[in-house]
Amino acid sequence: MTHDSSAVITSRVDAPPERVWFALTDAGALTCWYWPAAMQPRAFSDPVVGGRFGVDAGDLGFAGEYRELDPPRRIVQTWRWAGDDRDSRVTIELTPSGDGTDLRIVHDEVDEETAGMYRAGWESCLTRLPAYLAG
């Protein structure tokens, strides 16, 4: 199996890059929006290069390490689902756009089937981000 596929997701939110950065790197913020509240998610995040992050909800969860941080423009992190045996990579780019922020997420180093699942997962998660940022 080759791990040369990627999921590319683009989105725009009505908040400045600094607020979006916080939502993506703060454990309390991640707990509020990343997964539905009904799942009772818990998050941890140490947003420094080499720091760890993750979100879990019972048997479901992922964790990784921050590899690059360029606040509030770019995040590169490793990513591993609980129970998996290999890391993938997530690159998040934040670009100011008028009064908001354009997001570009690339989740790569995965096989084609996994890329499709990650694309759907990211799109689902990002539907909750605007409400968190508006609150």
Side-chain angles (χ1 to χ4, degrees):
M1 180 180 301
T2 62
H3 295 94
D4 58 359
S5 293
S6 60
V8 179
I9 303 92
T10 58
S11 182
R12 184 181 187 290
V13 292
D14 291 328
E18 295 78 10
R19 291 203 49 228
V20 179
W21 178 274
F22 180 83
L24 292 167
T25 59
D26 179 78
L30 288 166
T31 298
C32 288
W33 73 268
Y34 196 85
W35 282 341
M39 294 177 68
Q40 299 179 339
R42 296 178 308 262
F44 64 93
S45 179
D46 181 16
V48 297
V49 173
R52 306 276 307 158
F53 73 94
V55 178
D56 72 76
D59 294 335
L60 182 66
F62 64 87
E65 181 179 302
Y66 292 108
R67 295 298 180 114
E68 295 177 37
L69 295 166
D70 181 15
R73 292 175 286 281
R74 180 176 163 91
I75 301 167
V76 179
Q77 53 195 200
T78 63
W79 180 285
R80 184 182 297 200
W81 278 104
D84 277 359
D85 60 357
R86 70 181 314 277
D87 289 342
S88 56
R89 178 179 58 194
V90 175
T91 303
I92 303 171
E93 296 174 335
L94 294 80
T95 305
S97 176
D99 290 339
T101 302
D102 288 333
L103 283 157
R104 183 173 190 269
I105 301 170
V106 179
H107 197 145
D108 61 4
E109 299 180 2
V110 296
D111 62 72
E112 189 173 339
E113 180 181 357
T114 301
M117 290 187 296
Y118 282 173
R119 184 176 302 105
W122 278 105
E123 288 170 349
S124 173
C125 290
L126 290 174
T127 63
R128 287 179 291 281
L129 181 58
Y132 169 77
L133 292 168

